[in-house]
Amino acid sequence: MSGGQIAAVGDTREIRDLAGPGTRVIDAGGATVLPGFIDSHVHLFCGSAELDYLDLYGVLGLGDLTEKVRGYSDQCRDDKVVFAVRADYAILGPGRKTTRHDLDSVLPERPFAMFAADHHTVWANTKALELAGILHGGDVDRGSEIVMAADGTASGELREPGAYSYVLRLTRYGGRDLQGVLTGADPTPPVAPADRALDRELMAKGLKHCARYGITGLHNMDGNFYTLELLRELEQSGDLLCRMEVPFHLKEFDGIDRLNEAEEMRQRFNSDRLWCNRVKMFMDGVVESSTALMLEPYPGLVTTGDAVFGVDHFNAACVMADAMGFQISVHAIGNLAIRRTLDGYEAAIRANGRRDSRHRIEHIEILHPDDLPRFRELGVVASIQPGHAPFGGIFPPDGVGRMLHAHQIPLAYAWEDIRASGAKVIFSTDWPIIPVDVMANIKAAVSPIDMPEPWRDQRQTLFNTLKSYTADNAWVEFNEDRKGRLKPGMIADIAVMSHDLEALEPQELASSHAVLTVSGGQITWEA
Ligand SMILES: [Zn+2]
């Protein structure tokens, strides 16, 4: 490669002949060389922040939890609250709810709180609840809940952002951890210079972390002007190690006139390494907390989940964003949420005519059979996270099934059925919901765990999986002519792996890792 582009592709002799005296020669030693991975659904700020906190993944039982938290507490003396992430809902045992009293015994003398992996719940001890001012309850918005115990005090369980933001404000990032995720608005009051520098360093650290996995591009799923300005500063200092596509986040309480701000973003940020051309919306919640929007009530419950957007508001937003030439991506997990999102995209086609829009649906966990062919018909991209499925080998396999009717399971996490329908399928992690680790996610797709009927085998071929992580992710950002393949003239975004991936047994894929990452001809990671 030269000048940031791939100069030639060929066999070892041909390439060696091209090397001049100043050429650096890298011998992959027979291992796989790929276009750099693009993770098409991440939350960079939040993911980066969580690298700093105590990680409770795999921690089970009071003894284990206590040991980990006390050890970490000694390392974060300056923090107002000792904060941990990725706690299991059943961390203290199956069916056992975590209370503030449990967490008081874990860490009595300092405020302590922990985040669930899905980011829908925080559990806090008494000191943390006191410091946050909510030990005796507090105001929360609709859909959020400070769970109260029989004695009239907070139980320690804080459901959804409206409840847990009181505690999150006490972390070392002052609650900016979830900025842009909760609203597309910019922080108010404006972030002080010292905190701004802290946030910029934090994102630089997160980008470096991604580059270690062979990642050269990220599609962020939240965004505001504040984050974009910090990313631009990183670009100027040469620290934007992964290319970043950032959306405008339209919330259900926003009028569609806010799309003018999306236009401003698109005009202000449009470089090769940092750009905006997409509008992101949420249609529902998640299955585990029965907030994914379903066509029928959950088993044993009366709720069908939460409709985040009203139908008319959503359709109007789709028509307008599409007319402005934006790509749209919408979080939709339940079968009714997916249907309404497809309806919105269909409304945009009816209003504006068919165009090469590449609108995306994120997650697509529980799909109704009638909607399967609509992806291909409407040209809608299926944006899927293989590591989220119960058969992905990352989450407990029996978690989600209890929330589903048997007839919903055959088209649950139906990657292969969606691919076979002719729809474009792209892969990502939704970091920090799961780690940004590429090969663990690839293993989830190629070598899922066996689940009994009515679960279906949705295993992916290695080729399709790698394509969904590279060429198809380049395509979905309208960059298929510049990225995603190893071809002369393409941008030199490259990952060199530790193994020949095709020679590995599928279940061994996660043992491979990136040994060298190149972005625009510059080395961004070297083992
Ligand atoms: Zn996400």
Side-chain angles (χ1 to χ4, degrees), residues 136-370:
H136 300 281
D139 290 336
V140 298
D141 57 11
R142 199 174 60 87
S144 298
E145 184 184 2
I146 298 170
V147 178
M148 302 303 284
D151 67 357
T153 62
S155 77
E157 182 178 345
L158 307 168
R159 291 190 190 148
E160 302 298 334
Y164 66 58
S165 56
Y166 288 99
V167 169
L168 214 61
R169 251 173 245 149
L170 307 172
T171 69
R172 73 179 71 147
Y173 296 105
R176 298 189 304 283
D177 313 45
L178 281 188
Q179 67 173 332
V181 179
L182 305 183
T183 83
D186 286 293
T188 45
V191 180
D195 284 339
R196 201 183 154 94
L198 189 73
D199 291 355
R200 189 176 52 231
E201 264 168 51
L202 177 72
M203 286 201 284
K205 183 174 156 194
L207 290 160
K208 211 172 193 172
H209 177 79
C210 293
R212 292 176 69 101
Y213 293 102
I215 293 171
T216 56
L218 300 169
H219 301 170
N220 219 38
M221 282 294 139
D222 54 86
N224 52 21
F225 286 101
Y226 174 68
T227 354
L228 279 159
E229 282 161 12
L230 296 182
L231 290 169
R232 172 171 284 166
E233 287 167 24
L234 290 175
E235 181 181 16
Q236 285 160 350
S237 63
D239 296 309
L240 191 69
L241 298 189
C242 307
R243 298 172 199 276
M244 292 285 303
E245 189 254 8
V246 178
F248 176 80
H249 191 165
L250 188 76
K251 299 294 292 188
E252 67 278 14
F253 42 76
D254 290 328
I256 60 173
D257 56 321
R258 269 205 78 202
L259 289 172
N260 293 329
E261 292 172 52
E263 185 61 57
E264 188 192 336
M265 258 186 195
R266 173 159 67 181
Q267 283 172 19
R268 278 180 57 192
F269 301 93
N270 56 11
S271 80
D272 255 4
R273 299 194 73 82
L274 179 63
W275 73 102
C276 307
N277 186 38
R278 181 163 53 91
V279 173
K280 165 84 194 289
M281 291 179 271
F282 271 87
M283 190 49 104
D284 65 350
V286 297
V287 173
E288 290 82 348
S289 62
S290 61
T291 51
L293 183 63
M294 298 289 197
L295 287 156
E296 63 188 294
Y298 286 85
L301 301 176
V302 286
T303 181
T304 56
D306 292 350
V308 173
F309 262 89
V311 168
D312 292 342
H313 186 193
F314 178 73
N315 289 356
C318 286
V319 169
M320 171 83 141
D322 182 77
M324 293 168 79
F326 284 106
Q327 184 179 45
I328 306 169
S329 63
V330 175
H331 166 119
I333 284 181
N335 47 23
L336 181 54
I338 298 167
R339 177 167 296 173
R340 287 189 180 172
T341 305
L342 290 164
D343 290 347
Y345 293 165
E346 197 172 344
I349 292 176
R350 268 202 308 277
N352 306 326
R354 245 180 215 278
R355 61 182 194 91
D356 186 8
S357 55
R358 307 186 195 183
H359 297 325
R360 327 172 17 161
I361 302 185
E362 310 302 315
H363 311 307
I364 317 168
E365 293 184 357
I366 316 302
L367 181 61
H368 189 280
D370 291 352

Side-chain angles (χ1 to χ4, degrees), residues 45-121:
F45 195 99
C46 180
S48 306
E50 295 202 359
L51 296 175
D52 271 6
Y53 298 131
L54 174 65
D55 186 354
L56 294 176
Y57 182 73
V59 171
L60 282 179
L62 196 63
D64 199 6
L65 178 63
T66 304
E67 193 191 317
K68 292 272 171 10
V69 172
R70 290 191 185 171
Y72 176 71
S73 161
D74 293 336
Q75 298 163 32
C76 60
R77 284 276 149 220
D78 295 339
D79 286 353
K80 278 187 244 166
V81 58
V82 177
F83 200 67
V85 295
R86 297 218 288 162
D88 198 292
Y89 277 83
I91 195 162
L92 298 181
R96 175 110 156 55
K97 285 211 181 279
T98 302
T99 68
R100 68 181 164 95
H101 302 293
D102 296 323
L103 300 186
D104 288 346
S105 79
V106 168
L107 196 68
E109 72 280 11
R110 286 183 72 188
F112 167 64
M114 58 185 198
F115 225 147
D118 67 9
H119 298 87
H120 287 270
T121 303

Side-chain angles (χ1 to χ4, degrees), residues 41-43 181 221-222 280 282 331 362-363 385 388 429-431 433:
H41 185 135
V42 300
H43 301 272
V181 179
M221 282 294 139
D222 54 86
K280 165 84 194 289
F282 271 87
H331 166 119
E362 310 302 315
H363 311 307
Q385 299 72 39
H388 292 202
T429 57
D430 200 1
W431 180 49
I433 302 294

Side-chain angles (χ1 to χ4, degrees), residues 119-132:
H119 298 87
H120 287 270
T121 303
V122 166
W123 297 271
N125 71 357
T126 304
K127 280 236 157 31
L129 293 166
E130 269 169 359
L131 189 61

Side-chain angles (χ1 to χ4, degrees), residues 15-25:
I15 299 300
R16 280 205 192 266
D17 285 351
L18 294 172
T23 306
R24 172 155 178 208
V25 178

